[in-house]
Amino acid sequence: MAASVPRLRFAPSPTGYLHVGGARTALFNWLYARKFGGQFLLRIEDTDKARSTDESTRAIFDGLQWLGLLWDEDVVYQGANVGRNREDAYAMLAHGTAYRCFCTQAELAERRAAAEASKESFKYDRRCDRLDSSEIERRVTAGVPSTLRFRVPEGTTSWDDLVHGEIAFPNKDIEDFIILRGDGTPIYNMAVVSDDIFMQITLVMRGDDHISNTPKQILLYRALGSPLPQFAHLPMIHGLDGKKLSKRHGATAVSDYQHLGILPGAMLNFLALLGWSPGHDIEVMSLARMRELFDTDGLQRKAAIFDPKKLEWMNGQHLSLAPVDELALIVGPALERAGLTSAAELADREAWYHALLELLKVRARTTDDIVRQAEPFFRDEIGYDAEAEAKQWKDRPSTRGLLAGARDALAALPSWDVEGMEGALRALAERSGFGDKAGRIFQPLRVALTGLSVSPGIFDVLAMLGRERSLARIQSAVVHLSDEQA
RNA sequence: GGCGGUAUCGUCUAGGGGACUAGGACACGGCCCUCUCAAGGCUGGAACACGGGUUCGAAUCCCGUUACCGCUACCA
């Protein structure tokens, strides 16, 4: 038989932001579709009008786009399909796989409470299914409101889950659930099945909190005479305390990480490893590589805990690996937002800017780190970090002399190149009696040049700052140290 | 309560009966490199939930217990 093209969908409800858990579900759906030449569709489940907002829908689009998880075909809005969902429900009524229920919500709540009080588990007793046709006819013509309930058949419902293997539910544990509300709108399971059939979904890959919905949905597929898709239930993502990831664990929206300076590729890589492993100890991967390696065999069954530390490490890896010209596009706007430079300046000094990124990216974990570390290279005036000053400029008179010496040695250089600078400064160290401990000059000098005790190598700093600015900064430090004495 | 799912280092995981004195990564400690910080290299401590089976042999298969999670709405 000809294998059909896989069609998968990501179906979030627009009731908040794009959650990292949702992003991971989207990623696995995307990977599977792309790897096997299928389609990845997006369906916005906005049937809960009270909680759905356009803003949330926008956030889902933005998040997916930022991550580079682009979908095929037009976005499907579930709310637009209620008509067809309803028709499907009525078709079941016509075929006798569903029946009208006249019980009111109040009655149901009362019976449920009574059952609970006597410690019995409540299950709809099918009383409306025992009504004779004339009575049903009478109530319908009298305008008595009714819902549609699915008549659960005998037997057991099972499927071969792509991540869990065989899962079976005895039908006796499933009650005759409502598929259509009194107002004619479909209940979740009805809408999902109706839409998945219409969209010709072949693999439903979603969170494992949907496992107990699955037998109901399978029953619905059968009642509608449609072939079953495959199912794959992904484990949940929990916070550091082992509980379901929520707001109190800190950032849970994809956009939060975007604003924290995380690279989309790193986010994706980190998320992929939460519940999936390609084996062979492979960890750092590009999206393209994940797509090559993806396989449902590597999917995990256990919930994973979201560890921000590892995300940061992962981001550092991606930062180091990222080509500077690509990184420049992301860091540039961030530098502008920080008020350090303008797009025009960056374009003007592109080679210099790229060289700076090359120096900073390896020692940064987020793009925010890069911006922070880039500050001394853009500002005209710098301040001195108190701790750095206290530690590296401990003996101020001698430090002043040292810096003046460094200033003169550097100023005397015929050309501003690393070899010359290194030779001159190491010679100065010798003369100062530091022997090969040239760091005793480099460290105070670093503070003079950057105001910080942490920076790229001192010669790189001098080179990036340039002759004029470097000498001026050292001079400022000398003056600063003199003022202190006065 | 009922039903379902899950269970390897603190965390992410490899492992799919003998290759396991259980491997890698994050985090943590030490060492090396070194002008600082990173990065990198080396290295240390750290796990098969428990109890029964099956088997010549179980982290791997089966059963039970425990713990955790999910569902149990005219929410999605």
Side-chain angles (χ1 to χ4, degrees):
Chain A
M1 59 179 120
S4 57
V5 177
R7 283 172 68 83
L8 295 86
R9 83 315 196 262
F10 172 51
S13 349
T15 54
Y17 299 95
L18 178 59
H19 189 273
V20 292
R24 193 197 52 171
T25 301
L27 169 62
F28 289 156
N29 274 281
W30 186 95
L31 287 171
Y32 189 99
R34 290 289 173 270
K35 164 140 187 178
F36 298 107
Q39 279 102 40
F40 169 66
L41 312 180
L42 178 60
R43 180 171 73 224
I44 302 296
E45 307 219 317
D46 57 354
T47 51
D48 185 350
K49 294 290 181 213
R51 290 194 294 161
S52 302
T53 66
D54 290 345
E55 195 190 340
S56 301
T57 303
R58 192 64 271 150
I60 290 167
F61 293 162
D62 290 347
L64 254 21
Q65 269 155 3
W66 178 66
L67 290 169
L69 264 22
L70 302 183
W71 54 93
D72 303 306
E73 304 181 9
D74 290 336
V75 174
V76 173
Y77 291 89
Q78 192 162 55
N81 297 331
V82 294
R84 200 194 54 250
N85 298 160
R86 187 181 303 136
E87 283 169 27
D88 284 342
Y90 274 110
M92 287 195 272
L93 178 65
H95 294 149
T97 49
Y99 58 92
R100 282 188 192 278
C101 174
F102 299 93
C103 299
T104 66
Q105 289 185 66
E107 290 168 349
L108 257 13
E110 196 178 305
R111 278 181 243 157
R112 203 182 326 267
E116 249 168 65
S118 56
K119 290 194 159 186
E120 282 164 38
S121 59
F122 176 78
K123 200 177 132 192
Y124 184 63
D125 61 7
R126 292 185 155 165
R127 64 178 65 189
C128 288
D129 195 22
R130 292 189 291 269
L131 260 26
D132 56 55
S133 52
S134 59
E135 175 61 14
I136 295 172
E137 185 78 43
R138 189 189 68 73
R139 294 194 191 182
V140 171
T141 50
V144 180
S146 65
T147 61
L148 252 40
R149 271 186 197 272
F150 178 71
R151 185 183 297 109
V152 175
E154 303 278 296
T156 104
T157 303
S158 66
W159 73 95
D160 188 20
D161 196 276
L162 247 39
V163 353
H164 294 273
E166 181 89 3
I167 299 181
F169 283 78
N171 291 5
K172 66 174 174 50
D173 294 324
I174 306 171
E175 74 166 354
D176 284 356
F177 55 95
I178 291 173
I179 54 176
L180 207 63
R181 295 188 184 89
D183 66 1
T185 58
I187 250 15
Y188 175 71
N189 283 315
M190 181 68 229
V192 167
V193 172
S194 177
D195 288 348
D196 282 339
I197 290 172
F198 182 72
M199 291 166 77
Q200 301 181 59
I201 300 303
T202 63
L203 202 207
V204 173
M205 194 186 282
R206 77 237 294 195
D208 66 14
D209 49 340
H210 285 291
I211 285 180
S212 33
N213 279 323
T214 307
K216 296 178 185 174
Q217 295 184 6
I218 287 174
L219 258 14
L220 255 22
Y221 275 96
R222 295 213 178 106
L224 288 166
S226 293
L228 288 179
Q230 282 187 290
F231 292 95
H233 288 93
L234 274 8
M236 302 274 88
I237 295 180
H238 289 170
L240 250 16
D241 58 359
K243 305 277 191 228
K244 190 173 161 142
L245 198 61
S246 66
K247 294 274 187 290
R248 67 199 171 76
H249 291 106
T252 52
V254 167
S255 58
D256 291 338
Y257 291 97
Q258 178 181 358
H259 297 128
L260 252 27
I262 298 293
L263 259 23
M267 189 77 220
L268 252 12
N269 193 168
F270 172 72
L271 251 20
L273 260 23
L274 248 39
W276 174 68
S277 164
H280 308 290
D281 299 332
I282 298 171
E283 300 236 50
V284 181
M285 293 170 278
S286 64
L287 219 208
R289 186 71 177 134
M290 288 189 257
R291 173 178 167 172
E292 282 170 36
L293 264 22
F294 189 74
D295 189 341
T296 52
D297 283 354
L299 254 17
Q300 182 81 18
R301 290 179 295 274
K302 180 184 64 166
I305 290 175
F306 189 98
D307 181 3
K309 282 265 184 51
K310 186 148 185 176
L311 204 211
E312 280 200 12
W313 167 80
M314 182 64 79
N315 202 53
Q317 295 293 310
H318 280 256
L319 236 26
S320 293
L321 260 28
V324 275
D325 52 343
E326 282 175 28
L327 207 52
L329 268 23
I330 296 171
V331 177
L335 289 169
E336 290 178 56
R337 278 195 298 277
L340 293 175
T341 184
S342 64
E345 185 191 355
L346 292 182
D348 212 44
R349 312 173 67 189
E350 192 180 63
W352 174 84
Y353 171 41
H354 285 188
L356 180 64
L357 283 183
E358 200 69 68
L359 292 176
L360 299 182
K361 70 173 192 173
V362 69
R363 61 199 88 220
R365 291 210 143 185
T366 64
T367 51
D368 285 12
D369 280 347
I370 295 183
V371 171
R372 220 171 293 127
Q373 292 172 30
E375 212 176 308
F377 298 94
F378 285 99
R379 293 246 190 258
D380 287 328
E381 300 291 330
I382 57 165
Y384 303 113
D385 176 70
E387 268 182 50
E389 205 172 346
K391 188 173 179 205
Q392 303 301 344
W393 291 355
K394 216 176 180 111
D395 184 324
R396 306 181 79 95
S398 70
T399 300
R400 189 184 31 174
L402 217 50
L403 291 178
R407 175 201 58 201
D408 296 341
L410 291 169
L413 253 26
S415 78
W416 201 249
D417 59 82
V418 171
E419 293 71 31
M421 293 186 273
E422 179 152 16
L425 292 179
R426 287 198 189 275
L428 175 62
E430 284 282 354
R431 285 202 302 282
S432 309
F434 297 157
D436 60 354
K437 299 273 191 257
R440 293 176 64 177
I441 287 184
F442 298 164
Q443 283 299 88
L445 186 54
R446 186 187 315 282
V447 179
L449 293 169
T450 65
L452 307 168
S453 53
V454 170
S455 84
I458 200 71
F459 307 113
D460 287 326
V461 171
L462 285 164
M464 291 313 294
L465 246 24
R467 183 189 165 97
E468 298 312 315
R469 194 171 245 180
S470 296
L471 295 177
R473 286 221 174 136
I474 300 171
Q475 178 56 24
S476 297
V478 169
V479 170
H480 174 78
L481 287 166
S482 309
D483 289 349
E484 295 289 315
Q485 298 304 309

